[in-house]
């Protein structure tokens, strides 16, 4: 890993950096929950939660997470189901699984103390170069560049960098700019300032150029086409897949199965899957050794992942009594809808459970 992650030794572009910091002093966000009682642990959790997720959505999740897991040790010793339960609704669940794995590594290999180098931080599960830079700069006050989505947008527009940042050449150019602008002093404030600038002024679809501290030499603004930067990811039609979810209901309880640790909804609890209504009936007869009354087919809906659309058809099967079939304790769960256990749920499952609540006996 060495050279790519090295702290720059050249002088930063102080004019750009000073303007950004001056703007941050007057207009930056300073009361977000993770900006109080700053620690590597709190910064790390917030940065992972903020990946692909808006600040307003993250705030209540972060506060609940910190209440339940106030230290890296408490997270490391928690059960995976507890961690995933606190993540339900945030999406991109690999983040939560990696968070849990990384906590175990920090406790086992670093005695609960986070390393302060980008190289060592980047070796932890789920931590990339930009997240490592944010932890180093914000939590430790040490120089490190960041390049999250907001920062990519600011830099791509300011320097009119053509192309999609997912391309290696474009990413290399943006990292060089990020390194060049990163100061040796107030590096934590600078990291936060750049993220704030992209989130509040240099937004994706409605940039407020007039109030931007670096507008005067922003090349995209001078060209009159800031929305052209950064370049868009090449569009590719997403494939569509179908599944049927079997909601086997007995009184207040419905059957859930634990998903495998990898793949979609890894480690989360979900309704059993079938490939249609007949297969749903066969599954109940085969797995639960009972024949349900008439099946109730619910309205299908679409859930979109990054790589494909999933069209979900829920099938409700009201069973007269709990099946006598032996249940695998680790893989199946009778989930009480009125007194829900704390387990991680796939987002469509949480949605369906809400719709089931008024229908239970």
């Amino acid at each position: 890993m060495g050279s790519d992650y090295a702290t720059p030794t050249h002088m930063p572009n102080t004019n750009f950096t000073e303007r950004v910091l001056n703007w941050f002093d007057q207009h930056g966000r300073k009361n977000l929950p993770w900006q109080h009682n700053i620690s590597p642990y709190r910064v790390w959790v917030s940065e992972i939660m903020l990946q692909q997720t808006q600040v307003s959505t993250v705030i209540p999740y972060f506060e609940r997470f910190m209440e339940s897991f106030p230290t890296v040790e408490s997270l490391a010793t928690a059960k995976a189901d507890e961690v995933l339960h606190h993540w339900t609704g945030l999406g991109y669940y690999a983040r939560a699984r990696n968070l849990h794995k990384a906590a175990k590594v920090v406790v086992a290999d670093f005695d609960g103390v986070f390393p302060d180098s980008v190289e060592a931080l980047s070796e932890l599960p789920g931590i990339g170069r930009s997240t490592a830079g944010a932890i180093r700069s914000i939590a430790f006050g040490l120089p490190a560049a960041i390049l999250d989505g907001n920062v990519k947008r600011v830099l791509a527009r300011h320097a009119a960098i053509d192309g999609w940042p997912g391309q290696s050449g474009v990413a290399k150019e943006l990292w060089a700019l990020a390194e060049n602008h990163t100061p040796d002093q107030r590096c934590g404030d600078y990291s936060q300032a750049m993220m704030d600038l992209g989130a509040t002024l240099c937004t994706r679809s409605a940039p407020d150029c007039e109030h931007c501290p670096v507008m005067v030499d922003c090349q995209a603004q001078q060209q009159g086409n800031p929305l052209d930067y950064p370049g868009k990811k090449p569009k590719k039609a997403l494939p569509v897949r179908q599944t049927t979810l079997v909601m086997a209901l007995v009184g207040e309880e419905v059957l859930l199965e634990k998903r495998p640790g990898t793949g979609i909804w890894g480690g989360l609890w979900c309704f059993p899957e079938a490939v249609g209504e007949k297969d749903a009936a066969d599954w109940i007869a085969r797995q639960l050794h009972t024949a349900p009354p008439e099946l109730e087919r619910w309205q299908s809906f679409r859930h979109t992942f990054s790589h494909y659309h999933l069209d979900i058809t829920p099938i409700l099967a009201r069973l007269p009594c709990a099946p006598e079939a032996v249940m695998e304790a680790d893989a199946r769960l009778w989930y009480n809808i009125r007194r829900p256990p704390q387990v991680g749920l796939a987002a469509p499952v949480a949605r369906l459970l809400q719709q089931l609540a008024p229908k239970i006996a």
Side-chain angles (χ1 to χ4, degrees), residues 34-62:
W34 44 88
Q35 294 175 318
H36 302 286
N37 303 317
I38 288 176
S39 69
Y41 175 66
R42 289 171 64 85
V43 171
W44 167 56
V45 172
S46 69
E47 287 296 319
I48 299 298
M49 285 188 169
L50 287 164
Q51 292 170 1
Q52 310 286 332
T53 312
Q54 293 185 339
V55 167
S56 57
T57 301
V58 165
I59 288 173
Y61 279 92
F62 178 83

PDB file of all heavy atoms in Angstrom, residues 34-62:
ATOM      1  N   TRP A  34     -22.114  13.287  15.695  1.00  0.00           N
ATOM      2  CA  TRP A  34     -20.762  12.721  15.698  1.00  0.00           C
ATOM      3  C   TRP A  34     -19.677  13.786  15.806  1.00  0.00           C
ATOM      4  O   TRP A  34     -18.506  13.472  15.902  1.00  0.00           O
ATOM      5  CB  TRP A  34     -20.543  11.873  14.448  1.00  0.00           C
ATOM      6  CG  TRP A  34     -21.044  12.493  13.185  1.00  0.00           C
ATOM      7  CD1 TRP A  34     -20.381  13.340  12.357  1.00  0.00           C
ATOM      8  CD2 TRP A  34     -22.351  12.322  12.623  1.00  0.00           C
ATOM      9  NE1 TRP A  34     -21.177  13.707  11.308  1.00  0.00           N
ATOM     10  CE2 TRP A  34     -22.387  13.094  11.433  1.00  0.00           C
ATOM     11  CE3 TRP A  34     -23.478  11.592  12.995  1.00  0.00           C
ATOM     12  CZ2 TRP A  34     -23.516  13.155  10.624  1.00  0.00           C
ATOM     13  CZ3 TRP A  34     -24.601  11.643  12.190  1.00  0.00           C
ATOM     14  CH2 TRP A  34     -24.624  12.407  11.023  1.00  0.00           C
ATOM     15  N   GLN A  35     -20.093  15.083  15.785  1.00  0.00           N
ATOM     16  CA  GLN A  35     -19.109  16.158  15.967  1.00  0.00           C
ATOM     17  C   GLN A  35     -18.917  16.510  17.439  1.00  0.00           C
ATOM     18  O   GLN A  35     -18.117  17.379  17.762  1.00  0.00           O
ATOM     19  CB  GLN A  35     -19.559  17.403  15.181  1.00  0.00           C
ATOM     20  CG  GLN A  35     -19.550  17.178  13.675  1.00  0.00           C
ATOM     21  CD  GLN A  35     -20.101  18.360  12.902  1.00  0.00           C
ATOM     22  OE1 GLN A  35     -21.106  18.961  13.278  1.00  0.00           O
ATOM     23  NE2 GLN A  35     -19.454  18.706  11.807  1.00  0.00           N
ATOM     24  N   HIS A  36     -19.655  15.839  18.305  1.00  0.00           N
ATOM     25  CA  HIS A  36     -19.483  16.018  19.754  1.00  0.00           C
ATOM     26  C   HIS A  36     -18.811  14.766  20.310  1.00  0.00           C
ATOM     27  O   HIS A  36     -19.006  13.665  19.816  1.00  0.00           O
ATOM     28  CB  HIS A  36     -20.830  16.247  20.433  1.00  0.00           C
ATOM     29  CG  HIS A  36     -21.566  17.444  19.897  1.00  0.00           C
ATOM     30  ND1 HIS A  36     -21.201  18.737  20.196  1.00  0.00           N
ATOM     31  CD2 HIS A  36     -22.630  17.540  19.060  1.00  0.00           C
ATOM     32  CE1 HIS A  36     -22.015  19.583  19.576  1.00  0.00           C
ATOM     33  NE2 HIS A  36     -22.892  18.877  18.872  1.00  0.00           N
ATOM     34  N   ASN A  37     -18.016  14.960  21.366  1.00  0.00           N
ATOM     35  CA  ASN A  37     -17.278  13.831  21.968  1.00  0.00           C
ATOM     36  C   ASN A  37     -16.546  13.040  20.880  1.00  0.00           C
ATOM     37  O   ASN A  37     -16.647  11.814  20.792  1.00  0.00           O
ATOM     38  CB  ASN A  37     -18.230  12.899  22.729  1.00  0.00           C
ATOM     39  CG  ASN A  37     -19.007  13.628  23.801  1.00  0.00           C
ATOM     40  OD1 ASN A  37     -18.453  14.442  24.538  1.00  0.00           O
ATOM     41  ND2 ASN A  37     -20.298  13.352  23.891  1.00  0.00           N
ATOM     42  N   ILE A  38     -15.820  13.770  20.044  1.00  0.00           N
ATOM     43  CA  ILE A  38     -15.163  13.150  18.886  1.00  0.00           C
ATOM     44  C   ILE A  38     -14.169  12.085  19.345  1.00  0.00           C
ATOM     45  O   ILE A  38     -13.369  12.294  20.259  1.00  0.00           O
ATOM     46  CB  ILE A  38     -14.438  14.217  18.050  1.00  0.00           C
ATOM     47  CG1 ILE A  38     -15.473  15.080  17.309  1.00  0.00           C
ATOM     48  CG2 ILE A  38     -13.491  13.578  17.038  1.00  0.00           C
ATOM     49  CD1 ILE A  38     -14.878  16.215  16.520  1.00  0.00           C
ATOM     50  N   SER A  39     -14.269  10.928  18.709  1.00  0.00           N
ATOM     51  CA  SER A  39     -13.330   9.831  18.949  1.00  0.00           C
ATOM     52  C   SER A  39     -13.205   9.058  17.649  1.00  0.00           C
ATOM     53  O   SER A  39     -14.090   9.132  16.785  1.00  0.00           O
ATOM     54  CB  SER A  39     -13.849   8.904  20.052  1.00  0.00           C
ATOM     55  OG  SER A  39     -14.991   8.183  19.601  1.00  0.00           O
ATOM     56  N   PRO A  40     -12.126   8.300  17.479  1.00  0.00           N
ATOM     57  CA  PRO A  40     -12.008   7.495  16.254  1.00  0.00           C
ATOM     58  C   PRO A  40     -13.209   6.573  16.061  1.00  0.00           C
ATOM     59  O   PRO A  40     -13.675   6.387  14.931  1.00  0.00           O
ATOM     60  CB  PRO A  40     -10.716   6.711  16.475  1.00  0.00           C
ATOM     61  CG  PRO A  40      -9.912   7.554  17.410  1.00  0.00           C
ATOM     62  CD  PRO A  40     -10.909   8.211  18.316  1.00  0.00           C
ATOM     63  N   TYR A  41     -13.717   6.008  17.142  1.00  0.00           N
ATOM     64  CA  TYR A  41     -14.854   5.091  17.048  1.00  0.00           C
ATOM     65  C   TYR A  41     -16.091   5.812  16.519  1.00  0.00           C
ATOM     66  O   TYR A  41     -16.750   5.341  15.587  1.00  0.00           O
ATOM     67  CB  TYR A  41     -15.128   4.483  18.428  1.00  0.00           C
ATOM     68  CG  TYR A  41     -16.366   3.612  18.475  1.00  0.00           C
ATOM     69  CD1 TYR A  41     -16.428   2.418  17.767  1.00  0.00           C
ATOM     70  CD2 TYR A  41     -17.476   3.989  19.236  1.00  0.00           C
ATOM     71  CE1 TYR A  41     -17.561   1.618  17.806  1.00  0.00           C
ATOM     72  CE2 TYR A  41     -18.614   3.195  19.284  1.00  0.00           C
ATOM     73  CZ  TYR A  41     -18.650   2.002  18.561  1.00  0.00           C
ATOM     74  OH  TYR A  41     -19.781   1.220  18.601  1.00  0.00           O
ATOM     75  N   ARG A  42     -16.419   6.952  17.103  1.00  0.00           N
ATOM     76  CA  ARG A  42     -17.619   7.683  16.691  1.00  0.00           C
ATOM     77  C   ARG A  42     -17.478   8.202  15.249  1.00  0.00           C
ATOM     78  O   ARG A  42     -18.437   8.153  14.473  1.00  0.00           O
ATOM     79  CB  ARG A  42     -17.891   8.844  17.657  1.00  0.00           C
ATOM     80  CG  ARG A  42     -18.382   8.386  19.023  1.00  0.00           C
ATOM     81  CD  ARG A  42     -18.432   9.544  20.022  1.00  0.00           C
ATOM     82  NE  ARG A  42     -19.405  10.568  19.635  1.00  0.00           N
ATOM     83  CZ  ARG A  42     -20.697  10.525  19.930  1.00  0.00           C
ATOM     84  NH1 ARG A  42     -21.204   9.497  20.603  1.00  0.00           N
ATOM     85  NH2 ARG A  42     -21.509  11.505  19.550  1.00  0.00           N
ATOM     86  N   VAL A  43     -16.300   8.684  14.891  1.00  0.00           N
ATOM     87  CA  VAL A  43     -16.085   9.165  13.526  1.00  0.00           C
ATOM     88  C   VAL A  43     -16.232   8.003  12.543  1.00  0.00           C
ATOM     89  O   VAL A  43     -16.893   8.124  11.500  1.00  0.00           O
ATOM     90  CB  VAL A  43     -14.703   9.828  13.383  1.00  0.00           C
ATOM     91  CG1 VAL A  43     -14.391  10.140  11.920  1.00  0.00           C
ATOM     92  CG2 VAL A  43     -14.640  11.108  14.215  1.00  0.00           C
ATOM     93  N   TRP A  44     -15.631   6.878  12.888  1.00  0.00           N
ATOM     94  CA  TRP A  44     -15.698   5.700  12.014  1.00  0.00           C
ATOM     95  C   TRP A  44     -17.145   5.256  11.782  1.00  0.00           C
ATOM     96  O   TRP A  44     -17.562   5.079  10.636  1.00  0.00           O
ATOM     97  CB  TRP A  44     -14.883   4.585  12.651  1.00  0.00           C
ATOM     98  CG  TRP A  44     -15.068   3.212  12.073  1.00  0.00           C
ATOM     99  CD1 TRP A  44     -14.904   2.840  10.784  1.00  0.00           C
ATOM    100  CD2 TRP A  44     -15.435   2.043  12.794  1.00  0.00           C
ATOM    101  NE1 TRP A  44     -15.140   1.484  10.647  1.00  0.00           N
ATOM    102  CE2 TRP A  44     -15.466   0.974  11.865  1.00  0.00           C
ATOM    103  CE3 TRP A  44     -15.709   1.773  14.144  1.00  0.00           C
ATOM    104  CZ2 TRP A  44     -15.786  -0.329  12.235  1.00  0.00           C
ATOM    105  CZ3 TRP A  44     -16.018   0.476  14.512  1.00  0.00           C
ATOM    106  CH2 TRP A  44     -16.062  -0.558  13.570  1.00  0.00           C
ATOM    107  N   VAL A  45     -17.911   5.102  12.863  1.00  0.00           N
ATOM    108  CA  VAL A  45     -19.302   4.655  12.712  1.00  0.00           C
ATOM    109  C   VAL A  45     -20.090   5.645  11.850  1.00  0.00           C
ATOM    110  O   VAL A  45     -20.843   5.261  10.951  1.00  0.00           O
ATOM    111  CB  VAL A  45     -19.974   4.459  14.087  1.00  0.00           C
ATOM    112  CG1 VAL A  45     -21.480   4.197  13.913  1.00  0.00           C
ATOM    113  CG2 VAL A  45     -19.331   3.302  14.848  1.00  0.00           C
ATOM    114  N   SER A  46     -19.917   6.942  12.108  1.00  0.00           N
ATOM    115  CA  SER A  46     -20.666   7.948  11.339  1.00  0.00           C
ATOM    116  C   SER A  46     -20.268   7.913   9.870  1.00  0.00           C
ATOM    117  O   SER A  46     -21.120   8.005   8.984  1.00  0.00           O
ATOM    118  CB  SER A  46     -20.443   9.344  11.920  1.00  0.00           C
ATOM    119  OG  SER A  46     -19.121   9.804  11.717  1.00  0.00           O
ATOM    120  N   GLU A  47     -18.981   7.772   9.583  1.00  0.00           N
ATOM    121  CA  GLU A  47     -18.538   7.753   8.193  1.00  0.00           C
ATOM    122  C   GLU A  47     -19.087   6.542   7.443  1.00  0.00           C
ATOM    123  O   GLU A  47     -19.471   6.645   6.279  1.00  0.00           O
ATOM    124  CB  GLU A  47     -17.004   7.755   8.129  1.00  0.00           C
ATOM    125  CG  GLU A  47     -16.366   9.084   8.481  1.00  0.00           C
ATOM    126  CD  GLU A  47     -16.730  10.187   7.502  1.00  0.00           C
ATOM    127  OE1 GLU A  47     -16.759   9.919   6.280  1.00  0.00           O
ATOM    128  OE2 GLU A  47     -17.002  11.310   7.955  1.00  0.00           O
ATOM    129  N   ILE A  48     -19.134   5.398   8.101  1.00  0.00           N
ATOM    130  CA  ILE A  48     -19.685   4.198   7.454  1.00  0.00           C
ATOM    131  C   ILE A  48     -21.182   4.388   7.210  1.00  0.00           C
ATOM    132  O   ILE A  48     -21.696   4.076   6.130  1.00  0.00           O
ATOM    133  CB  ILE A  48     -19.430   2.943   8.312  1.00  0.00           C
ATOM    134  CG1 ILE A  48     -17.922   2.703   8.490  1.00  0.00           C
ATOM    135  CG2 ILE A  48     -20.112   1.731   7.692  1.00  0.00           C
ATOM    136  CD1 ILE A  48     -17.160   2.440   7.213  1.00  0.00           C
ATOM    137  N   MET A  49     -21.895   4.932   8.191  1.00  0.00           N
ATOM    138  CA  MET A  49     -23.336   5.157   8.025  1.00  0.00           C
ATOM    139  C   MET A  49     -23.625   6.170   6.922  1.00  0.00           C
ATOM    140  O   MET A  49     -24.624   6.056   6.206  1.00  0.00           O
ATOM    141  CB  MET A  49     -23.952   5.645   9.339  1.00  0.00           C
ATOM    142  CG  MET A  49     -24.122   4.575  10.386  1.00  0.00           C
ATOM    143  SD  MET A  49     -25.066   5.195  11.807  1.00  0.00           S
ATOM    144  CE  MET A  49     -25.374   3.657  12.691  1.00  0.00           C
ATOM    145  N   LEU A  50     -22.757   7.157   6.769  1.00  0.00           N
ATOM    146  CA  LEU A  50     -22.993   8.231   5.796  1.00  0.00           C
ATOM    147  C   LEU A  50     -22.678   7.818   4.360  1.00  0.00           C
ATOM    148  O   LEU A  50     -22.997   8.567   3.434  1.00  0.00           O
ATOM    149  CB  LEU A  50     -22.165   9.465   6.174  1.00  0.00           C
ATOM    150  CG  LEU A  50     -22.677  10.245   7.398  1.00  0.00           C
ATOM    151  CD1 LEU A  50     -21.609  11.186   7.934  1.00  0.00           C
ATOM    152  CD2 LEU A  50     -23.944  11.022   7.053  1.00  0.00           C
ATOM    153  N   GLN A  51     -22.069   6.656   4.172  1.00  0.00           N
ATOM    154  CA  GLN A  51     -21.823   6.185   2.819  1.00  0.00           C
ATOM    155  C   GLN A  51     -23.166   5.882   2.154  1.00  0.00           C
ATOM    156  O   GLN A  51     -23.956   5.100   2.671  1.00  0.00           O
ATOM    157  CB  GLN A  51     -20.956   4.924   2.835  1.00  0.00           C
ATOM    158  CG  GLN A  51     -19.533   5.155   3.296  1.00  0.00           C
ATOM    159  CD  GLN A  51     -18.776   3.852   3.533  1.00  0.00           C
ATOM    160  OE1 GLN A  51     -19.307   2.764   3.328  1.00  0.00           O
ATOM    161  NE2 GLN A  51     -17.543   3.962   3.986  1.00  0.00           N
ATOM    162  N   GLN A  52     -23.444   6.516   1.044  1.00  0.00           N
ATOM    163  CA  GLN A  52     -24.670   6.303   0.267  1.00  0.00           C
ATOM    164  C   GLN A  52     -25.942   6.715   1.009  1.00  0.00           C
ATOM    165  O   GLN A  52     -27.043   6.350   0.604  1.00  0.00           O
ATOM    166  CB  GLN A  52     -24.818   4.814  -0.131  1.00  0.00           C
ATOM    167  CG  GLN A  52     -23.604   4.199  -0.774  1.00  0.00           C
ATOM    168  CD  GLN A  52     -23.394   4.672  -2.195  1.00  0.00           C
ATOM    169  OE1 GLN A  52     -24.322   5.027  -2.871  1.00  0.00           O
ATOM    170  NE2 GLN A  52     -22.157   4.683  -2.632  1.00  0.00           N
ATOM    171  N   THR A  53     -25.811   7.462   2.111  1.00  0.00           N
ATOM    172  CA  THR A  53     -26.983   7.776   2.931  1.00  0.00           C
ATOM    173  C   THR A  53     -26.927   9.231   3.384  1.00  0.00           C
ATOM    174  O   THR A  53     -25.867   9.721   3.776  1.00  0.00           O
ATOM    175  CB  THR A  53     -27.041   6.854   4.172  1.00  0.00           C
ATOM    176  OG1 THR A  53     -26.848   5.494   3.767  1.00  0.00           O
ATOM    177  CG2 THR A  53     -28.385   6.967   4.874  1.00  0.00           C
ATOM    178  N   GLN A  54     -28.062   9.921   3.364  1.00  0.00           N
ATOM    179  CA  GLN A  54     -28.114  11.331   3.721  1.00  0.00           C
ATOM    180  C   GLN A  54     -27.985  11.545   5.230  1.00  0.00           C
ATOM    181  O   GLN A  54     -28.406  10.706   6.024  1.00  0.00           O
ATOM    182  CB  GLN A  54     -29.421  11.948   3.228  1.00  0.00           C
ATOM    183  CG  GLN A  54     -29.542  12.013   1.719  1.00  0.00           C
ATOM    184  CD  GLN A  54     -30.796  12.731   1.274  1.00  0.00           C
ATOM    185  OE1 GLN A  54     -31.757  12.849   2.024  1.00  0.00           O
ATOM    186  NE2 GLN A  54     -30.802  13.210   0.042  1.00  0.00           N
ATOM    187  N   VAL A  55     -27.442  12.715   5.586  1.00  0.00           N
ATOM    188  CA  VAL A  55     -27.223  13.058   6.983  1.00  0.00           C
ATOM    189  C   VAL A  55     -28.518  12.965   7.799  1.00  0.00           C
ATOM    190  O   VAL A  55     -28.543  12.407   8.893  1.00  0.00           O
ATOM    191  CB  VAL A  55     -26.615  14.476   7.106  1.00  0.00           C
ATOM    192  CG1 VAL A  55     -26.680  14.983   8.547  1.00  0.00           C
ATOM    193  CG2 VAL A  55     -25.165  14.474   6.630  1.00  0.00           C
ATOM    194  N   SER A  56     -29.609  13.508   7.258  1.00  0.00           N
ATOM    195  CA  SER A  56     -30.862  13.529   8.013  1.00  0.00           C
ATOM    196  C   SER A  56     -31.352  12.120   8.331  1.00  0.00           C
ATOM    197  O   SER A  56     -31.963  11.885   9.392  1.00  0.00           O
ATOM    198  CB  SER A  56     -31.940  14.289   7.236  1.00  0.00           C
ATOM    199  OG  SER A  56     -32.128  13.699   5.955  1.00  0.00           O
ATOM    200  N   THR A  57     -31.083  11.173   7.439  1.00  0.00           N
ATOM    201  CA  THR A  57     -31.462   9.781   7.681  1.00  0.00           C
ATOM    202  C   THR A  57     -30.562   9.145   8.724  1.00  0.00           C
ATOM    203  O   THR A  57     -31.017   8.374   9.577  1.00  0.00           O
ATOM    204  CB  THR A  57     -31.379   8.972   6.369  1.00  0.00           C
ATOM    205  OG1 THR A  57     -32.250   9.553   5.404  1.00  0.00           O
ATOM    206  CG2 THR A  57     -31.757   7.516   6.585  1.00  0.00           C
ATOM    207  N   VAL A  58     -29.271   9.482   8.676  1.00  0.00           N
ATOM    208  CA  VAL A  58     -28.282   8.836   9.540  1.00  0.00           C
ATOM    209  C   VAL A  58     -28.428   9.251  11.001  1.00  0.00           C
ATOM    210  O   VAL A  58     -28.228   8.426  11.911  1.00  0.00           O
ATOM    211  CB  VAL A  58     -26.857   9.135   9.025  1.00  0.00           C
ATOM    212  CG1 VAL A  58     -25.801   8.794  10.081  1.00  0.00           C
ATOM    213  CG2 VAL A  58     -26.588   8.369   7.738  1.00  0.00           C
ATOM    214  N   ILE A  59     -28.777  10.498  11.272  1.00  0.00           N
ATOM    215  CA  ILE A  59     -28.744  11.022  12.648  1.00  0.00           C
ATOM    216  C   ILE A  59     -29.444  10.111  13.654  1.00  0.00           C
ATOM    217  O   ILE A  59     -28.827   9.700  14.652  1.00  0.00           O
ATOM    218  CB  ILE A  59     -29.290  12.465  12.708  1.00  0.00           C
ATOM    219  CG1 ILE A  59     -28.280  13.433  12.075  1.00  0.00           C
ATOM    220  CG2 ILE A  59     -29.573  12.885  14.149  1.00  0.00           C
ATOM    221  CD1 ILE A  59     -28.785  14.862  11.924  1.00  0.00           C
ATOM    222  N   PRO A  60     -30.734   9.744  13.472  1.00  0.00           N
ATOM    223  CA  PRO A  60     -31.365   8.899  14.492  1.00  0.00           C
ATOM    224  C   PRO A  60     -30.737   7.517  14.589  1.00  0.00           C
ATOM    225  O   PRO A  60     -30.667   6.938  15.686  1.00  0.00           O
ATOM    226  CB  PRO A  60     -32.830   8.818  14.034  1.00  0.00           C
ATOM    227  CG  PRO A  60     -32.830   9.209  12.593  1.00  0.00           C
ATOM    228  CD  PRO A  60     -31.688  10.148  12.424  1.00  0.00           C
ATOM    229  N   TYR A  61     -30.271   6.969  13.454  1.00  0.00           N
ATOM    230  CA  TYR A  61     -29.613   5.666  13.497  1.00  0.00           C
ATOM    231  C   TYR A  61     -28.319   5.750  14.305  1.00  0.00           C
ATOM    232  O   TYR A  61     -28.018   4.866  15.115  1.00  0.00           O
ATOM    233  CB  TYR A  61     -29.301   5.181  12.077  1.00  0.00           C
ATOM    234  CG  TYR A  61     -30.466   4.546  11.378  1.00  0.00           C
ATOM    235  CD1 TYR A  61     -31.328   5.297  10.583  1.00  0.00           C
ATOM    236  CD2 TYR A  61     -30.719   3.186  11.505  1.00  0.00           C
ATOM    237  CE1 TYR A  61     -32.411   4.711   9.930  1.00  0.00           C
ATOM    238  CE2 TYR A  61     -31.791   2.589  10.852  1.00  0.00           C
ATOM    239  CZ  TYR A  61     -32.631   3.356  10.073  1.00  0.00           C
ATOM    240  OH  TYR A  61     -33.699   2.764   9.441  1.00  0.00           O
ATOM    241  N   PHE A  62     -27.546   6.801  14.067  1.00  0.00           N
ATOM    242  CA  PHE A  62     -26.281   6.973  14.781  1.00  0.00           C
ATOM    243  C   PHE A  62     -26.532   7.090  16.286  1.00  0.00           C
ATOM    244  O   PHE A  62     -25.831   6.462  17.092  1.00  0.00           O
ATOM    245  CB  PHE A  62     -25.555   8.216  14.265  1.00  0.00           C
ATOM    246  CG  PHE A  62     -24.264   8.504  14.987  1.00  0.00           C
ATOM    247  CD1 PHE A  62     -23.089   7.854  14.630  1.00  0.00           C
ATOM    248  CD2 PHE A  62     -24.212   9.426  16.026  1.00  0.00           C
ATOM    249  CE1 PHE A  62     -21.898   8.115  15.295  1.00  0.00           C
ATOM    250  CE2 PHE A  62     -23.021   9.691  16.693  1.00  0.00           C
ATOM    251  CZ  PHE A  62     -21.860   9.033  16.328  1.00  0.00           C
TER     252      PHE A  62
END
